[in-house]
Amino acid sequence: MTRSLTIPHFLYTDELNVTALSSLRHQLNTHPSLPNQAKLSYLPFIIKALSLALDNYLILNTRVDTDTDASRPRLVMRSAHNIGIAMDTPQGLIVPNIKN
């Protein structure tokens, strides 16, 4: 567990105006073609925004490489990204992985 203290951490917070998103979500959820029991949450929109941000700001999809020379760590930018969302189910916790 103490090894996790040696890993660089990154945190960013900001406030967003999601009025337009809320309106779009309401419009889609009340569309007649959507079955009554199926409703969109904010999660698919957040995942899409995160994916676009990772494509547009490559520095956010970067890892620190210390394997080649521990005295001179370097940033390695990844060309692809996967997004995992933890979900609690009656069978236990699962984490579906959305690739690229």
Side-chain angles (χ1 to χ4, degrees), residues 11-89:
L11 173 68
Y12 177 81
T13 61
D14 206 341
E15 292 185 17
L16 303 172
N17 181 349
V18 293
T19 306
L21 173 59
S22 181
S23 176
L24 173 63
R25 181 177 163 262
H26 176 74
Q27 183 181 5
L28 292 172
N29 280 337
T30 56
H31 196 272
S33 67
L34 191 68
N36 289 336
Q37 64 271 27
K39 297 292 180 194
L40 286 171
S41 70
Y42 288 102
L43 189 59
F45 300 100
I46 293 170
I47 293 170
K48 180 64 175 183
L50 174 61
S51 181
L52 291 173
L54 290 171
D55 278 341
N56 291 330
Y57 302 96
L58 298 178
I59 193 72
L60 295 177
N61 196 23
T62 303
R63 68 178 178 86
V64 177
D65 179 21
T66 58
D67 294 337
T68 53
D69 185 2
S71 65
R72 293 187 45 93
R74 64 185 185 99
L75 293 178
V76 177
M77 293 189 183
R78 298 174 181 179
S79 59
H81 60 270
N82 302 327
I83 300 173
I85 303 294
M87 296 180 183
D88 186 19
T89 70

